[in-house]
Amino acid sequence: MNLRQHSLAEEFPLVPGLSHLNHAAVGPWPRRSAEVVRRFAEDNAARGSLAYLDWLEVEARLRERLARLVGSPDTSTIALLKNTSEALSVIAHGLPWRAGDNVVGIAQEFPSNRIVWESLAPRGVDWRALDLEQSSDPEGDLCALCDEHTRLIAVSWVQYARGLRLDLARLGAFCRERDILFCVDAIQGLGALPFSLADSGADFVVADGHKWMLGPEGLALLHVAATQRERLELHQFGWHMVADPGDFEQRDWSPAPEARRFECGSPNLLAAHALESSLSLLEEVGTTTIETLIRQRVDWLIAAIDRHGFELLTPRPPERRAGIVTFRVPDVASEHLYPALMRQQVLCAQRGGGIRFSPHFHTTEETLERAMSEVTRLSSTL
Ligand SMILES: Cc1ncc(COP(=O)(O)O)c(C=O)c1O
């Protein structure tokens, strides 16, 4: 997209005075998605489900956009689920475990990437976690935690708290070599960075739409490699996951051959409309451009953090970070600074022992400037 032709300010009508630096939590919707939802609501109110077939076309377009975003050759690998946690649970409780198997991950992960694997303990599956604080080579150390009983490595592409970006290609190559499955929680990267299934070799990719994809909560991507689809035992059943979901009279059924088999009932078409629209914007801008624009904003923040003598908690090398910048102000407690920033409409998070800023491609320099000047002003008062 030619950014000059496209007014970002028009697409993101955030109220003046709000510094939205919280895409790693919940992103704002672009105007086009708000419009689509408004029209969808009006259509429901005026015509009920008369346009249901059109709605399904939107859902089909969403699957295509998600397939393109992860680099899947077609939509048969894509399921639309409620959220990342549900998608991870489908994987964890679908795989054919043997007592004594283990899963390798990271101790500092977002809870869903820990609890889901820990929940396999009654089946004799051990979750082995790398302590990132003790590691200068996370990929090497994750590989070193694996043994002949390791069935799966499960990590977030980008760590939610301090924004460490893992080298998926390196982990994926190790997994392929050792015949270990690879599960990537891509929620903190997808929509912010180009993703390649071919490079990462991931068997499973999960990501909710409400962060960097700028969609609503309640609709997530589950990509399952064709080779793994039938290996996952199903635990949710209903009319929608069968091969022929339109035939309500048929007594026999079999699971859909596609990843739709993981979707048991009625789809979330409201969220599908919003997410499809948000992804249309991301596609117009292009993931490479988005990555560059995010990097410029993150570089800007890191330069400001250095200038003010704050402590950067996010890794410094560009290939080790994505859109998350976490930092600490010396002698100022983040638990005091965070609510003070929020009161001043600097929308951020308290994570990883510091303040987490997460700008997206549309974030203006004015937003960054205002946020950093509030950090310095408020810090002197705390
Ligand atoms: C790494 C990671 N995984 C998952 C989630 C959210 O999970 P869900 O989509 O189940 O709400 C988050 C939210 O912060 C996250 O950072």
Side-chain angles (χ1 to χ4, degrees):
M1 181 186 86
N2 182 345
L3 283 173
R4 278 188 297 275
Q5 284 169 2
H6 200 101
S7 167
L8 282 182
E10 256 177 46
E11 275 292 3
F12 292 92
L14 292 163
V15 292
L18 174 74
S19 296
H20 193 306
L21 291 172
N22 215 19
H23 295 86
V26 180
W29 297 1
R31 184 194 292 274
R32 66 174 70 182
S33 305
E35 284 292 312
V36 160
V37 168
R38 190 181 54 72
R39 283 199 299 275
F40 184 78
E42 284 170 5
D43 200 32
N44 266 271
R47 279 174 287 278
S49 61
L50 190 63
Y52 201 87
L53 293 180
D54 296 340
W55 301 351
L56 290 182
E57 275 178 29
V58 173
E59 193 207 41
R61 278 208 300 279
L62 170 62
R63 279 180 213 273
E64 281 160 17
R65 291 193 192 282
L66 287 168
R68 282 198 289 278
L69 198 61
V70 293
S72 177
D74 59 62
T75 58
S76 66
T77 70
I78 307 291
L80 303 175
L81 298 190
K82 283 203 297 284
N83 48 50
T84 320
S85 309
E86 184 183 38
L88 289 170
S89 299
V90 164
I91 300 161
H93 288 272
L95 282 169
W97 302 103
R98 289 182 303 246
D101 286 348
N102 67 64
V103 176
V104 166
I106 290 177
Q108 287 83 1
E109 279 284 0
F110 188 75
S112 298
N113 254 308
R114 170 171 50 79
I115 292 170
V116 167
W117 309 113
E118 283 175 337
S119 77
L120 294 169
R123 295 170 68 175
V125 178
D126 188 28
W127 182 64
R128 295 185 171 182
L130 170 71
D131 181 359
L132 278 182
E133 300 282 321
Q134 306 300 323
S135 177
S136 56
D137 174 19
E139 292 81 5
D141 292 340
L142 281 164
C143 296
L145 274 180
C146 296
D147 62 15
E148 70 274 22
H149 300 293
T150 305
R151 296 269 95 79
L152 179 86
I153 293 183
V155 290
S156 293
W157 181 14
V158 177
Q159 294 294 307
Y160 82 103
R162 295 185 174 183
L164 167 74
R165 186 203 315 192
L166 291 176
D167 181 346
L168 297 184
R170 190 171 158 205
L171 286 173
F174 174 82
C175 286
R176 272 196 300 276
E177 204 176 280
R178 299 281 293 267
D179 207 14
I180 292 172
L181 295 169
F182 190 27
C183 175
V184 177
D185 177 344
I187 194 172
Q188 293 293 3
L190 216 54
L193 306 168
F195 180 85
S196 163
L197 263 182
D199 291 350
S200 69
D203 297 286
F204 309 106
V205 182
V206 298
D208 212 325
H210 63 267
K211 298 184 191 287
W212 302 92
M213 287 188 255
L214 303 171
E217 289 184 296
L219 186 54
L221 152 83
L222 165 64
H223 158 85
V224 179
T227 47
Q228 298 305 317
R229 203 178 300 149
E230 298 198 358
R231 292 191 69 221
L232 291 185
E233 190 186 333
L234 295 166
H235 293 284
Q236 301 189 88
F237 298 87
W239 68 273
H240 194 266
M241 46 74 68
V242 300
D244 188 0
D247 187 354
F248 297 157
E249 302 299 323
Q250 197 177 323
R251 302 295 301 168
D252 295 336
W253 61 273
S254 56
E258 313 88 38
R260 187 170 51 74
R261 60 173 46 207
F262 304 111
E263 305 170 5
C264 56
S266 294
N268 183 352
L269 289 176
L270 173 59
H273 275 71
L275 186 56
E276 194 278 328
S277 171
S278 297
L279 293 183
S280 76
L281 175 64
L282 297 186
E283 280 199 78
E284 280 169 33
V285 180
T287 40
T288 312
T289 304
I290 290 174
E291 180 185 31
T292 304
L293 293 173
I294 291 178
R295 183 171 291 184
Q296 286 166 1
R297 283 143 184 79
V298 167
D299 286 345
W300 191 102
L301 284 171
I302 292 178
I305 286 164
D306 288 346
R307 216 171 34 249
H308 291 298
F310 303 156
E311 184 191 354
L312 181 69
L313 300 173
T314 295
R316 220 166 254 282
E319 71 282 3
R320 277 301 192 192
R321 48 181 159 88
I324 288 175
V325 184
T326 307
F327 64 97
R328 226 176 350 226
V329 178
D331 304 320
V332 175
S334 297
E335 54 268 40
H336 296 145
L337 181 54
Y338 165 69
L341 284 166
M342 291 289 279
R343 276 194 296 276
Q344 296 308 314
Q345 310 262 298
V346 178
L347 189 45
C348 58
Q350 189 194 332
R351 298 280 190 278
I355 301 295
R356 184 185 72 183
F357 282 173
S358 47
H360 210 318
F361 76 101
H362 63 89
T363 306
T364 61
E365 190 162 332
E366 194 189 348
T367 299
L368 303 178
E369 271 166 5
R370 190 179 155 269
M372 284 316 290
S373 77
E374 284 297 344
V375 171
T376 43
R377 187 181 72 77
L378 292 167
S379 295
S380 67
T381 67
L382 292 170

